[in-house]
Amino acid sequence: MKLQKILSRFLKLHKKEIDLSLDRIIHLCEKLGDPQDKIKAISIVGTNGKNSTIQACYSILKEAGIKCNVYTSPHIQKINERFVFNNQQLGDDELASLFEEVERVNANNPITFFEILTACFFHKAAQYPDNLNLIEAGLFHRFDATNILKNNLASIVTSISKDHLDWLPENERTIDKIIFEKTSNLLDSNIIVAKQYPVSTLEKIKKTIHQNLSNKYFFHDDFSFSNGENEFFYYEDKFGGLKLPKPNVLGQFQQENISTAIATLRILDLGIEDHHIKKGIQKIDNIARLQKIESGKLKDLVKDNLFLISGDHNEDGARVLNEYLKSLDCRKHIIIGMMDNKEHEKYINHFRDIASITTVDIKNQPNAISGLKLREKFKNMPNVSYKESIEDAIKSINLNQGDLLLITGSLYLCSEVLNLN
């Protein structure tokens, strides 16, 4: 398949390692005619909730009839997921042609995998100058390939916490350094800051962006939400309050992300009306983030029990995931596979009252920790076992009627689940 051959070539010819510099992406985009200067964008930075916030924005914007281009990472099943233009994913042939064109222009100059993908997105997005671009930043925004925009309408700062610490110097692996890398170089425009945990993180963000000339909006100070009765939740900002139906995504953390999306779209005065918001939040396509699996081969093994996948791969993700699990009155079983560079013991310590934990290997991921090693790291948790595959893990669990099965720990594992299913 042509697209797969090009991707294989990308991975061989272009460095995949993170190299914190903007020189390469700037040089390539100059040769492409600086497409990033021809688009208008909302940038989304943070640790957790970036993709969910983008998908909430995107769903609402579509209801309002606004055409969007969307750039996210990583992809879950197909790389096409990262390249949405005019509200449609690029097909394989179009994407292959785009990759080939930009690769020819790059002419084998040094470039990282993420940088060349970002240049491809900018190049294609410039063909739709009237569209609104929703652009997810990579790991660290200050030197991130997405951070060369000219017409940035807003920067959304989602929840920030410790993650990807191995890319920082050992003496700088702190929340302060992460906040600095993600927020110290936001473009002057509008900055919307989501709910942060703990509150000290919010205060550190405020301090870091203090001299930024953007208009600034903060959860609680400028917008908020609360849970209501009878399947509603309530949103409020300076424009007034909204009584909203419960969205089609699970968990309070998703309501936090949705509220941040609503705040951003109302602040930007894009012609979004209340009915667009109400309909949009019930049509969010949020893959592998507390996603309910309702049919398929693996679902058949789970039978009538609730079956969820969620790529919560860091400590703060585990915290909010456990908050959701606590709201359910049932026995909970978890299957976990993780990457090697995560803080595994801190991650698992957030979970409480879990009936069983089964660790698994993540296939075709050389940077994943083996399920056996992960089981050893989880030895202080009750009822922990190891199985080589997802299917074996599901079959080994004694699921009673009404139980929950959750597969989590890595988006790569969620991708495997979706492909197997």
Side-chain angles (χ1 to χ4, degrees):
M1 190 176 185
K2 186 178 181 182
L3 179 59
Q4 293 305 319
K5 289 180 179 179
I6 298 170
L7 275 177
S8 296
R9 192 164 68 242
F10 269 23
L11 290 168
K12 290 177 182 177
L13 295 178
H14 305 291
K15 298 189 305 178
K16 195 175 181 183
E17 292 81 11
I18 295 172
D19 184 355
L20 301 181
S21 168
L22 294 177
D23 295 340
R24 293 174 301 277
I25 182 73
I26 290 172
H27 180 62
L28 175 53
C29 283
E30 283 177 350
K31 294 199 291 184
L32 290 167
D34 286 319
Q36 77 281 1
D37 293 348
K38 301 170 185 175
I39 65 176
K40 54 186 179 182
I42 298 174
S43 297
I44 297 87
V45 307
T47 305
N48 293 316
K50 289 184 292 183
N51 189 277
S52 297
T53 305
I54 283 178
Q55 296 306 328
C57 287
Y58 182 35
S59 187
I60 295 168
L61 287 165
K62 284 191 292 184
E63 284 299 315
I66 296 174
K67 293 292 181 69
C68 297
N69 308 324
V70 185
Y71 183 58
T72 57
S73 63
H75 58 277
I76 305 301
Q77 290 182 277
K78 294 182 66 178
I79 198 163
N80 310 59
E81 297 165 20
R82 303 185 186 215
F83 296 92
V84 172
F85 300 97
N86 232 23
N87 292 1
Q88 295 289 330
Q89 271 187 31
L90 273 194
D92 288 358
D93 291 342
E94 284 184 288
L95 192 54
S97 297
L98 174 62
F99 286 173
E100 285 183 321
E101 181 181 359
V102 174
E103 189 175 31
R104 281 195 301 269
V105 172
N106 187 58
N108 286 330
N109 283 308
I111 196 83
T112 70
F113 182 73
F114 183 71
E115 286 166 352
I116 199 166
L117 294 185
T118 304
C120 289
F121 176 82
F122 287 151
H123 184 53
K124 186 71 175 179
Q127 298 177 19
Y128 305 94
D130 295 328
N131 285 13
L132 180 58
N133 291 266
L134 301 172
I135 298 177
E136 179 180 356
L139 302 186
F140 300 114
H141 183 254
R142 186 161 67 105
F143 292 114
D144 188 79
T146 65
N147 193 25
I148 59 170
L149 294 165
K150 184 176 182 179
N151 188 12
N152 195 53
L153 301 180
S155 295
I156 298 175
V157 181
T158 66
S159 175
I160 294 180
S161 61
K162 289 183 180 180
D163 200 7
H164 302 291
L165 298 179
D166 50 321
W167 294 109
L168 296 173
E170 286 191 23
N171 62 338
E172 295 185 347
R173 294 176 179 178
T174 65
I175 189 65
D176 300 74
K177 176 64 173 176
I178 291 172
I179 289 170
F180 177 79
E181 290 295 334
K182 290 183 182 290
T183 66
S184 65
N185 199 27
L186 299 175
L187 294 180
D188 293 343
S189 56
N190 297 283
I191 299 175
I192 300 91
V193 181
K195 184 178 181 180
Q196 302 293 322
Y197 180 89
V199 176
S200 59
T201 298
L202 176 60
E203 297 308 314
K204 290 174 180 178
I205 293 172
K206 287 182 176 181
K207 184 177 179 180
T208 302
I209 66 175
H210 176 69
Q211 293 185 325
N212 190 303
L213 298 178
S214 298
N215 302 312
K216 303 179 186 76
Y217 307 88
F218 302 97
F219 179 84
H220 184 71
D221 294 348
D222 301 292
F223 66 98
S224 61
F225 80 95
S226 59
N227 288 306
E229 297 178 354
N230 300 321
E231 297 302 309
F232 285 92
F233 83 102
Y234 299 90
Y235 170 87
E236 188 170 4
D237 61 21
K238 66 179 181 179
F239 302 106
L242 291 174
K243 182 181 179 182
L244 298 170
K246 285 288 178 69
N248 67 316
V249 289
L250 302 172
Q252 179 168 306
F253 185 58
Q254 297 299 344
Q255 292 182 25
E256 294 172 13
N257 297 329
I258 290 166
S259 295
T260 307
I262 295 170
T264 303
L265 299 182
R266 280 160 66 108
I267 287 164
L268 293 180
D269 193 20
L270 298 171
I272 304 296
E273 298 180 5
D274 293 356
H275 65 94
H276 298 141
I277 296 171
K278 291 176 180 178
K279 290 182 180 178
I281 66 172
Q282 293 181 299
K283 299 179 181 180
I284 298 170
D285 186 13
N286 210 6
I287 300 174
R289 280 82 175 177
L290 274 179
Q291 179 184 355
K292 186 185 295 186
I293 305 299
E294 301 190 275
S295 62
K297 294 178 181 178
L298 296 182
K299 173 59 177 173
D300 289 343
L301 297 177
V302 181
K303 298 181 180 178
D304 293 332
N305 293 287
L306 180 60
F307 182 20
L308 303 176
I309 61 171
S310 197
D312 302 284
H313 53 266
N314 54 43
E315 188 180 353
D316 198 53
R319 177 186 63 81
V320 297
L321 183 56
N322 186 62
E323 287 180 359
Y324 171 72
L325 294 178
K326 287 193 300 183
S327 71
L328 304 178
D329 184 18
C330 64
R331 289 205 319 159
K332 296 116 184 172
H333 305 269
I334 302 180
I335 296 172
I336 302 182
M338 300 185 73
M339 303 308 286
D340 192 43
N341 63 348
K342 303 299 179 181
E343 296 186 293
H344 308 102
E345 294 92 341
K346 290 182 179 179
Y347 175 91
I348 202 64
N349 283 338
H350 282 277
F351 292 100
R352 297 288 184 272
D353 301 322
I354 306 301
S356 72
I357 297 173
T358 309
T359 64
V360 294
D361 302 319
I362 304 178
K363 295 180 180 179
N364 304 316
Q365 288 299 327
N367 295 323
I369 185 172
S370 74
L372 283 170
K373 289 183 179 178
L374 195 58
R375 182 185 65 180
E376 182 63 23
K377 291 197 170 191
F378 292 171
K379 62 185 178 182
N380 292 329
M381 298 292 290
N383 201 14
V384 179
S385 60
Y386 159 76
K387 295 295 178 182
E388 186 175 336
S389 70
I390 293 170
E391 299 99 314
D392 289 344
I394 295 175
K395 291 175 182 177
S396 72
I397 297 170
N398 181 23
L399 285 170
N400 297 328
Q401 187 172 2
D403 287 1
L404 160 71
L405 176 62
L406 168 70
I407 300 182
T408 188
S410 172
L411 286 169
Y412 294 111
L413 185 66
C414 292
S415 173
E416 187 180 340
V417 169
L418 292 172
N419 290 329
L420 287 170
N421 196 54

